[in-house]
Amino acid sequence: KHADNIRAIAHMRAERARYFKSRIEVGPMTAFERRIVHEFLSEAGDIQTESIGAGRSRRVVIKYIGELK
């Protein structure tokens, strides 16, 4: 259930990144939660994810990178 909630958040933030063609930061997450986001969005050709920060404030950035040709 918790993993499904994380995937829903990742999906909504990825859609926002696509709409605004920008980068969206997700709030601080545990390593397990960040991994869920990275894996969930790994199949998206126009989205790239990256973890930034350190310790408890480490978070995921979801970036729109454009359409792949």
Side-chain angles (χ1 to χ4, degrees), residues 5-15 26 29 36-38 40-41 62:
N5 290 339
I6 298 297
R7 286 184 196 98
I9 290 169
H11 177 73
M12 287 187 291
R13 299 286 162 71
E15 289 299 316
V26 183
M29 295 181 153
I36 292 170
V37 173
H38 289 304
F40 179 72
L41 295 175
I62 299 171

Side-chain angles (χ1 to χ4, degrees), residues 9-61:
I9 290 169
H11 177 73
M12 287 187 291
R13 299 286 162 71
E15 289 299 316
R16 186 178 294 172
R18 283 182 183 111
Y19 182 80
F20 291 109
K21 295 181 174 29
S22 65
R23 58 195 298 268
I24 304 292
E25 283 190 23
V26 183
M29 295 181 153
T30 65
F32 175 71
E33 293 168 335
R34 290 193 312 273
R35 181 178 172 156
I36 292 170
V37 173
H38 289 304
E39 287 179 354
F40 179 72
L41 295 175
S42 67
E43 298 297 315
D46 61 341
I47 294 290
Q48 187 175 41
T49 60
E50 169 186 6
S51 290
I52 62 169
R56 292 181 170 261
S57 66
R58 197 151 169 86
R59 57 204 176 278
V60 175
V61 177

